[in-house]
Amino acid sequence: MANVILAVPVFYPIIGGIAAWALRGWRSEENDGRPRVLPKGSALAADFVAITEFLLMLALFIDFASKAETASDALLTLEIPGICGFGLHFTLDGFRLLYGLIAGLMWMMTALLCPEYFSGHSHSGKKSGTPGEHDAPGSKNGDCVLEEESEPSPDRFYVFFLLTLGATMGVFLSEDLYTTFIFFEMMSFTSYVWVAHEENNAALRAADTYLAVAVTGGLVMLMGIFGVWHELGMLTISELSAAAAAYDNKPILYALGGCMLFGFGAKAGAFPLHIWLPKAHPVAPAPASALLSGILTKTGIFGVLAVTCSLFLYDKQWGVLILAIGAATMFGGALLAVFSINLKRTLACSSMSQIGFILIGVGMQCMLGEENALAVHGTLLHMMNHSMIKLVLFMAAGVIYMNAHALDLNVIRGYGRKKPLLKVIFLVGALAIGGIPCFGGYISKTLLHESILEYGGGWIFQALEYLFLLSGGMTVAYMTKLFVSICVEKNADEGLQRKYDAQKTYMNPASTFALAGSALVLLIWGLFPHTIMDRAARIGQAFMGLEEFGETVSYFSLKNLSGGLISIGIGVIVYLFVIRKLLIKDHTYINAWPTWLDLEEKLYRPLLLQVLPFVCGAVCHVLDVMTDTLTAILIPVGHVLARLLDSLTDLSVVGLRKTVYKDSPKPHERAWGNALTAAIGTVLNAVQALANHTWRRKNPRAVDYRREVALRYDVWRESSTVISRSLSYGLLLVIIGFTLTLAYILWW
């Protein structure tokens, strides 16, 4: 019965989401006549469920951490049969324990921020365009206009906030790929509501993109999962490695793995399916952005790891594919972030880049084979680092937005100059993601960098190392841009700067605890790499097939520090000579990214909405013409053949009827009737003859009564047969029988 506890982290938040809807708030009038949403019960329900969920995962971690450190097998398993045909299967091991704890922590902290965020955000109005890219409150910029409308009710957000928590836990605790798929798709649909929350043009368009990528990826993934079931006869993640090793048809396995990689990579934000990330984060509420970036992308990485470490463990060809995708994602995200001037969009592009770093680690696990401890630990730790970093940075962005009501760096410039706590919180996140020594990002990036160096592999991997260091340097550059613009520079509008500086209270105690607590956890996490981070890596490594921990890395040796220092140097150069010189004009940040490089607008939407329908329409038209032509030819021919066959059939039947099946009269067979009718007819014929000779001599009759009586007998017999076989006759007999039975009973 102890295993039943595995169902609690999954289904408890789902039940909590239903309760939050039942306890939803109401609207009341403010002094200026605008309706304001009061999310009383739903907010309290979300806070309570999120906090208790975290405490449950913390209790499980404390109870099982020592076991997970030494055991490679699952600590707990649970099967719920009969659901969706295959049933649901959950398990708890070290990796799942870590990410369940991180998910619980992130949901708890964002839940604490939500009430103040939605309360402060309600005064900003609704935008019909992308928030804050080039506009200040009340200004116009193309389609981007602030409209003074009431905010959508946060009650709906709280409901799907908790439903997504349950679905995310279902993904991380899943034991087989089918269970992973079920909760993966549920998570996609529930988190869609986060992106569409604002209900303006930009939010709905971004939500459409998000859902299209999620659904397309999910369908392709399902095709791969069913293919694996057909070929290997199982879907249990921990057992797939042995089955795949015994399977000979590698091309089929690569095709099925590619289908699943497509689906999981889409959710992770990997190139070229990253298009939803820069669109969704700016329009989603900041707490949702923190979770989308920090934890939901990791469900995609979880799937990539499940496929890689089970079906393609130590497979170098698969590793090359993952490395190629990781390199494009890593560099592409960093490049987009350098050019972006929207706070949340920059953080979203940064998430794309960091996912690329993680995929580099996954690819290096395949390349290094059994000696892949550096890649395994770097992958796991960078996943955890990125989750915590984006929790801090996106919540800080949420505090800025709910007070400044903008995300454009030119508008929020100087907001944090006189806010020491916010400045420190943002700085901790920026230093961590930039890979600065003494912070967690430095540790995980060092491990990933060393895994590339350990493999060697010629000029290709040397180029990969250079790209790795360049992307790390670009991370330093764009995070420096964000920190300097928000916390160092003054706003060009002196009145707005005075307003920012005069604002002393910008967070309530709950929000302060959420931000400061998350930043403190992130800071402590990075300050004790051997005590905390190495132990976490040891707990989760078995999921990726690593049994031995390997050698302890000296993170602060000159050799390992050199990689981080090179990235920092590159970052300084990019910031000073690209951002400051090329991307700032007249003291204004400009977005110089070419619009023709927008893959969604220039490639995917035209391809799906114009090219694909045109091609399909042309094919259907050709098939229609071919069908009409064949019909015009075949129908007359068919008519002729049908008539010919009909005539042949008639001739055959007639011929058989006249020959083989010709009737032959039986001996003494009567022409009509039977012996009785013949006797009666004979008597009547005699009477008729007597009458013709006597009283009917003038009007004699010539009727053959033998035939007449026989015909009347046949008519009577046929009518009797029809009546006796009819339902009405049967029912009549039943009624008569019941009547006689009743009469008998009454009589006796």
Side-chain angles (χ1 to χ4, degrees):
M1 292 299 293
N3 292 3
V4 176
I5 198 172
L6 278 181
V8 176
V10 178
F11 296 106
Y12 169 58
I14 296 175
I15 297 171
I18 299 172
W21 177 250
L23 298 172
R24 61 189 180 275
W26 59 90
R27 291 181 181 272
S28 66
E29 294 296 325
E30 293 183 351
N31 294 332
D32 58 1
R34 288 187 307 167
R36 181 167 63 93
V37 177
L38 299 177
K40 295 286 187 180
S42 58
L44 293 175
D47 286 349
F48 179 80
V49 172
I51 292 171
T52 50
E53 179 89 346
F54 168 70
L55 293 176
L56 171 63
M57 295 309 302
L58 181 62
L60 288 173
F61 183 82
I62 293 173
D63 187 25
F64 294 119
S66 60
K67 302 174 186 177
E69 186 173 347
T70 57
S72 60
D73 297 328
L75 301 171
L76 291 174
T77 57
L78 174 66
E79 178 180 357
I80 305 177
I83 298 180
C84 299
F86 286 89
L88 301 179
H89 300 81
F90 302 105
T91 190
L92 185 68
D93 58 14
F95 180 87
R96 293 174 171 89
L97 194 62
L98 286 170
Y99 250 92
L101 182 64
I102 291 175
L105 176 64
M106 294 185 68
W107 250 271
M108 180 182 70
M109 293 304 190
T110 51
L112 294 175
L113 176 66
C114 280
E116 186 184 21
Y117 177 83
F118 286 117
S119 177
H121 184 42
S122 66
H123 299 288
S124 64
K126 281 177 67 177
K127 288 188 176 184
S128 62
T130 304
E133 185 67 51
H134 294 288
D135 58 304
S139 67
K140 295 183 179 180
N141 179 41
D143 295 332
C144 200
V145 183
L146 276 173
E147 303 168 1
E148 291 298 326
E149 298 179 6
S150 60
E151 284 291 306
S153 171
D155 292 315
R156 179 184 62 192
F157 177 85
Y158 288 123
V159 172
F160 288 93
F161 178 81
L162 294 177
L163 293 178
T164 307
L165 170 57
T168 303
M169 285 295 189
V171 172
F172 283 125
L173 296 180
S174 60
E175 186 182 15
D176 64 70
L177 292 174
Y178 190 66
T179 303
T180 305
F181 169 78
I182 291 174
F183 287 100
F184 199 84
E185 290 304 289
M186 176 183 173
M187 179 188 67
S188 296
F189 283 105
T190 55
S191 58
Y192 162 82
V193 180
W194 295 357
V195 182
H197 176 76
E198 297 290 344
E199 299 182 30
N200 54 41
N201 293 337
L204 294 177
R205 188 175 179 85
D208 288 345
T209 301
Y210 175 73
L211 191 61
V213 172
V215 171
T216 304
L219 291 175
V220 177
M221 181 206 311
L222 183 62
M223 182 168 59
I225 290 173
F226 281 158
V228 169
W229 168 261
H230 180 268
E231 297 298 324
L232 302 184
M234 65 174 67
L235 293 173
T236 304
I237 296 172
S238 59
E239 299 175 359
L240 283 174
S241 180
Y247 186 73
D248 295 331
N249 198 341
K250 277 292 184 180
I252 293 295
L253 206 58
Y254 285 136
L256 299 177
C259 290
M260 290 185 284
L261 178 63
F262 184 94
F264 289 124
K267 179 63 68 181
F271 180 87
L273 301 174
H274 65 283
I275 56 173
W276 67 270
L277 264 172
K279 306 286 185 179
H281 286 72
V283 299
S289 296
L291 297 174
L292 282 167
S293 176
I295 201 73
L296 264 66
T297 55
K298 303 311 176 298
T299 61
I301 295 297
F302 171 85
V304 173
L305 285 172
V307 173
T308 300
C309 299
S310 58
L311 295 178
F312 306 106
L313 188 64
Y314 312 144
D315 189 317
K316 291 189 176 183
Q317 290 180 309
W318 181 262
V320 169
L321 173 63
I322 300 295
L323 284 175
I325 296 173
T329 306
M330 174 181 65
F331 178 76
L335 188 62
L336 288 171
V338 167
F339 279 84
S340 174
I341 62 171
N342 179 290
L343 173 57
K344 287 174 66 177
R345 188 178 190 277
T346 303
L347 295 178
C349 296
S350 171
S351 294
M352 173 187 168
S353 180
Q354 302 309 307
I355 292 299
F357 280 97
I358 295 169
L359 290 174
I360 292 293
V362 177
M364 291 310 304
Q365 291 181 40
C366 296
M367 304 305 296
L368 290 169
E370 296 182 357
E371 304 297 327
N372 63 359
L374 290 174
V376 168
H377 297 156
T379 301
L380 176 57
L381 292 179
H382 204 62
M383 287 176 66
M384 298 175 68
N385 280 325
H386 183 247
S387 294
M388 292 301 302
I389 291 168
K390 286 306 165 67
L391 173 66
V392 171
L393 291 176
F394 270 111
M395 287 199 300
V399 169
I400 295 170
Y401 184 62
M402 73 186 185
N403 287 281
H405 310 314
L407 294 171
D408 189 330
L409 294 184
N410 296 301
V411 180
I412 63 175
R413 203 174 195 171
Y415 178 81
R417 290 183 75 249
K418 301 294 184 179
K419 298 173 178 61
L421 180 59
L422 181 63
K423 186 182 296 186
V424 170
I425 290 171
F426 199 92
L427 182 62
V428 169
L431 294 175
I433 199 171
I436 306 303
C438 297
F439 290 88
Y442 165 76
I443 302 300
S444 53
K445 286 185 177 180
T446 296
L447 290 170
L448 295 174
H449 180 232
E450 290 302 311
S451 69
I452 299 174
L453 294 178
E454 183 178 14
Y455 182 75
W459 68 269
I460 294 179
F461 282 84
Q462 189 174 16
L464 178 63
E465 181 199 0
Y466 293 158
L467 191 64
F468 185 96
L469 296 175
L470 175 59
S471 300
M474 295 164 72
T475 305
V476 173
Y478 64 70
M479 289 310 302
T480 302
K481 175 185 67 175
L482 293 181
F483 182 78
V484 170
S485 63
I486 296 170
C487 299
V488 177
E489 295 178 327
K490 287 185 178 182
N491 199 288
D493 186 338
E494 294 183 0
L496 188 58
Q497 185 63 60
R498 286 194 298 270
K499 178 182 176 181
Y500 288 160
D501 292 343
Q503 190 179 45
K504 302 300 181 184
T505 303
Y506 54 93
M507 287 189 291
N508 66 18
S511 299
T512 302
F513 174 80
L515 269 77
S518 300
L520 182 62
V521 171
L522 182 61
L523 183 62
I524 294 174
W525 166 262
L527 288 176
F528 300 96
H530 295 300
T531 305
I532 300 178
M533 297 181 72
D534 283 356
R535 188 178 182 190
R538 186 179 296 111
I539 290 174
Q541 67 183 22
F543 178 76
M544 289 171 267
L546 181 64
E547 298 297 333
E548 300 295 330
F549 182 73
E551 299 181 0
T552 301
V553 178
S554 178
Y555 296 115
F556 301 104
S557 67
L558 183 59
K559 175 185 175 183
N560 289 323
L561 282 170
S562 62
L565 294 176
I566 291 173
S567 287
I568 294 172
I570 293 173
V572 171
I573 294 172
V574 172
Y575 178 74
L576 293 177
F577 296 99
V578 177
I579 294 176
R580 301 301 301 183
K581 297 294 185 182
L582 301 179
L583 301 180
I584 297 179
K585 300 294 184 182
D586 299 326
H587 305 288
T588 301
Y589 290 95
I590 63 170
N591 185 359
W593 185 256
T595 56
W596 58 270
L597 286 178
D598 189 327
L599 287 181
E600 179 186 359
E601 299 298 333
K602 302 301 180 181
L603 178 62
Y604 294 132
R605 284 186 179 271
L607 180 65
L608 295 177
L609 301 180
Q610 298 175 14
V611 176
L612 190 60
F614 174 78
V615 172
C616 292
V619 171
C620 291
H621 180 71
V622 171
L623 292 176
D624 185 56
V625 171
M626 292 176 62
T627 303
D628 291 343
T629 304
L630 290 174
T631 301
I633 295 173
L634 293 177
I635 286 180
V637 175
H639 285 165
V640 172
L641 290 175
R643 294 183 63 180
L644 179 61
L645 291 174
D646 184 59
S647 300
L648 290 175
T649 303
D650 291 343
L651 291 173
S652 300
V653 170
V654 171
L656 291 172
R657 189 73 178 82
K658 296 294 185 180
T659 55
V660 178
Y661 296 106
K662 181 180 180 180
D663 292 337
S664 55
K666 297 180 181 179
H668 310 295
E669 182 181 18
R670 299 180 184 277
W672 305 286
N674 53 25
L676 178 61
T677 60
I680 295 173
T682 301
V683 172
L684 291 176
N685 283 338
V687 172
Q688 177 182 248
L690 177 63
N692 289 337
H693 285 86
T694 56
W695 66 83
R696 285 186 178 175
R697 192 183 316 176
K698 294 183 179 181
N699 297 307
R701 292 183 178 179
V703 178
D704 187 357
Y705 283 102
R706 288 169 57 94
R707 180 176 179 276
E708 189 71 20
V709 172
L711 291 176
R712 292 180 181 273
Y713 169 75
D714 289 341
V715 171
W716 173 82
R717 186 176 62 179
E718 183 178 356
S719 300
S720 300
T721 302
V722 171
I723 292 173
S724 63
R725 290 178 180 177
S726 68
L727 179 62
S728 300
Y729 181 73
L731 292 175
L732 181 63
L733 291 181
V734 170
I735 292 172
I736 293 173
F738 277 126
T739 303
L740 293 176
T741 303
L742 181 62
Y744 175 81
I745 293 172
L746 293 175
W747 180 262
W748 290 101

XYZ file of all heavy atoms in Angstrom, residues 147-175:
233
model
N -5.360 48.808 -24.220
C -6.768 49.082 -24.111
C -7.174 48.981 -22.650
O -6.813 48.039 -21.962
C -7.564 48.066 -24.935
C -7.152 48.047 -26.399
C -7.725 46.859 -27.118
O -8.456 46.087 -26.470
O -7.447 46.703 -28.305
N -7.942 49.928 -22.195
C -8.380 49.916 -20.812
C -9.565 48.969 -20.671
O -10.721 49.355 -20.738
C -8.761 51.344 -20.377
C -7.562 52.265 -20.277
C -6.558 51.804 -19.221
O -6.968 51.244 -18.199
O -5.353 51.989 -19.431
N -9.263 47.704 -20.515
C -10.288 46.698 -20.339
C -9.980 45.912 -19.089
O -8.862 45.908 -18.589
C -10.331 45.744 -21.546
C -10.672 46.445 -22.851
C -10.674 45.461 -24.000
O -10.525 44.257 -23.725
O -10.832 45.888 -25.145
N -10.970 45.225 -18.599
C -10.770 44.408 -17.409
C -9.936 43.182 -17.762
O -9.999 42.667 -18.866
C -12.119 43.978 -16.836
O -12.841 43.230 -17.793
N -9.177 42.742 -16.787
C -8.331 41.580 -16.986
C -9.160 40.297 -16.964
O -10.186 40.219 -16.288
C -7.288 41.516 -15.855
C -6.167 42.505 -16.003
C -5.279 42.163 -17.169
O -4.794 41.033 -17.238
O -5.092 43.026 -18.025
N -8.734 39.280 -17.692
C -9.395 37.980 -17.557
C -9.284 37.487 -16.125
O -8.300 37.759 -15.431
C -8.608 37.082 -18.518
C -7.932 38.017 -19.457
C -7.665 39.264 -18.683
N -10.283 36.775 -15.681
C -10.294 36.302 -14.300
C -9.124 35.360 -14.038
O -8.898 34.422 -14.807
C -11.602 35.564 -14.014
O -11.533 34.919 -12.753
N -8.388 35.585 -12.963
C -7.293 34.658 -12.633
C -7.784 33.321 -12.122
O -6.991 32.391 -11.989
C -6.510 35.410 -11.556
C -7.475 36.351 -10.962
C -8.416 36.743 -12.053
N -9.103 33.228 -11.815
C -9.628 31.942 -11.329
C -9.343 30.825 -12.324
O -8.961 29.720 -11.944
C -11.138 32.057 -11.097
C -11.477 32.974 -9.939
O -10.822 32.853 -8.900
O -12.369 33.819 -10.081
N -9.575 31.109 -13.606
C -9.292 30.108 -14.639
C -7.818 29.743 -14.636
O -7.465 28.564 -14.779
C -9.704 30.669 -16.001
C -9.430 29.730 -17.172
C -9.780 30.410 -18.487
N -8.944 31.589 -18.695
C -9.190 32.490 -19.630
N -10.257 32.388 -20.402
N -8.380 33.530 -19.783
N -6.953 30.748 -14.455
C -5.520 30.473 -14.424
C -5.185 29.529 -13.282
O -4.399 28.592 -13.459
C -4.740 31.777 -14.263
C -3.252 31.572 -14.151
C -2.471 31.458 -15.283
C -2.635 31.464 -12.907
C -1.105 31.256 -15.191
C -1.270 31.267 -12.805
C -0.502 31.161 -13.948
N -5.757 29.755 -12.098
C -5.454 28.902 -10.948
C -5.890 27.458 -11.186
O -5.202 26.517 -10.777
C -6.130 29.450 -9.687
C -5.510 30.715 -9.162
C -6.264 31.868 -8.991
C -4.160 30.767 -8.832
C -5.692 33.037 -8.510
C -3.586 31.920 -8.359
C -4.346 33.062 -8.203
O -3.774 34.210 -7.736
N -7.032 27.283 -11.844
C -7.509 25.931 -12.123
C -6.496 25.187 -12.984
O -6.057 24.072 -12.662
C -8.884 25.976 -12.807
C -9.299 24.586 -13.281
C -9.933 26.545 -11.861
N -6.099 25.813 -14.093
C -5.170 25.144 -15.013
C -3.741 25.156 -14.473
O -2.919 24.332 -14.883
C -5.259 25.799 -16.386
C -6.539 25.463 -17.093
C -7.642 26.295 -16.993
C -6.646 24.299 -17.822
C -8.827 25.978 -17.628
C -7.820 23.971 -18.463
C -8.928 24.816 -18.363
N -3.443 26.052 -13.574
C -2.172 26.058 -12.853
C -2.002 24.747 -12.098
O -0.938 24.099 -12.154
C -2.187 27.254 -11.898
C -0.975 27.409 -11.025
C 0.187 27.989 -11.509
C -1.013 27.009 -9.702
C 1.298 28.155 -10.689
C 0.091 27.172 -8.876
C 1.250 27.741 -9.372
N -3.061 24.312 -11.407
C -2.990 23.069 -10.633
C -3.117 21.840 -11.521
O -2.453 20.822 -11.279
C -4.087 23.065 -9.568
C -3.932 24.116 -8.471
C -5.110 24.063 -7.507
C -2.628 23.929 -7.700
N -3.956 21.910 -12.557
C -4.065 20.772 -13.474
C -2.731 20.492 -14.159
O -2.337 19.331 -14.336
C -5.144 21.047 -14.518
C -6.593 21.135 -14.022
C -7.521 21.464 -15.183
C -7.022 19.853 -13.338
N -2.030 21.552 -14.532
C -0.728 21.377 -15.182
C 0.294 20.805 -14.213
O 1.171 20.023 -14.616
C -0.233 22.712 -15.754
O -1.248 23.275 -16.579
C 1.026 22.529 -16.580
N 0.199 21.174 -12.941
C 1.097 20.595 -11.941
C 0.913 19.079 -11.879
O 1.895 18.318 -11.884
C 0.825 21.227 -10.575
C 1.522 20.575 -9.366
C 3.035 20.533 -9.544
C 1.149 21.310 -8.084
N -0.341 18.617 -11.818
C -0.579 17.174 -11.790
C -0.077 16.480 -13.036
O 0.536 15.401 -12.958
N -0.310 17.096 -14.207
C 0.149 16.485 -15.459
C 1.673 16.435 -15.523
O 2.263 15.445 -15.984
C -0.410 17.262 -16.643
N 2.333 17.499 -15.060
C 3.796 17.531 -15.079
C 4.371 16.457 -14.156
O 5.343 15.764 -14.508
C 4.297 18.917 -14.647
O 3.730 19.906 -15.511
C 5.814 19.005 -14.732
N 3.792 16.314 -12.981
C 4.230 15.245 -12.084
C 3.995 13.875 -12.730
O 4.808 12.953 -12.566
C 3.475 15.343 -10.761
C 3.946 16.472 -9.872
S 5.653 16.219 -9.315
C 5.799 17.521 -8.096
N 2.893 13.740 -13.467
C 2.638 12.482 -14.159
C 3.710 12.152 -15.174
O 4.091 10.989 -15.334
N 4.222 13.167 -15.863
C 5.308 12.942 -16.826
C 6.566 12.481 -16.106
O 7.183 11.473 -16.475
C 5.585 14.217 -17.640
C 6.834 14.043 -18.504
C 4.394 14.566 -18.519
N 6.966 13.216 -15.069
C 8.229 12.903 -14.408
C 8.196 11.572 -13.649
O 9.233 10.930 -13.486
C 8.614 14.021 -13.442
C 9.173 15.240 -14.125
C 8.609 16.487 -13.916
C 10.241 15.147 -14.985
C 9.115 17.620 -14.546
C 10.756 16.254 -15.630
C 10.182 17.502 -15.409
N 7.028 11.149 -13.197
C 6.931 9.892 -12.447
C 6.549 8.710 -13.326
O 6.420 7.597 -12.830
C 5.911 10.034 -11.310
C 6.247 11.057 -10.220
C 5.152 11.097 -9.168
C 7.590 10.735 -9.556
N 6.354 8.927 -14.620
C 5.915 7.849 -15.505
C 7.002 6.797 -15.660
O 8.187 7.107 -15.764
C 5.523 8.416 -16.871
O 6.625 9.078 -17.469
N 6.556 5.548 -15.713
C 7.492 4.429 -15.852
C 7.564 3.925 -17.284
O 8.559 3.316 -17.674
C 7.079 3.283 -14.924
C 8.076 2.135 -14.901
C 7.638 0.991 -14.007
O 6.452 0.964 -13.633
O 8.469 0.117 -13.707
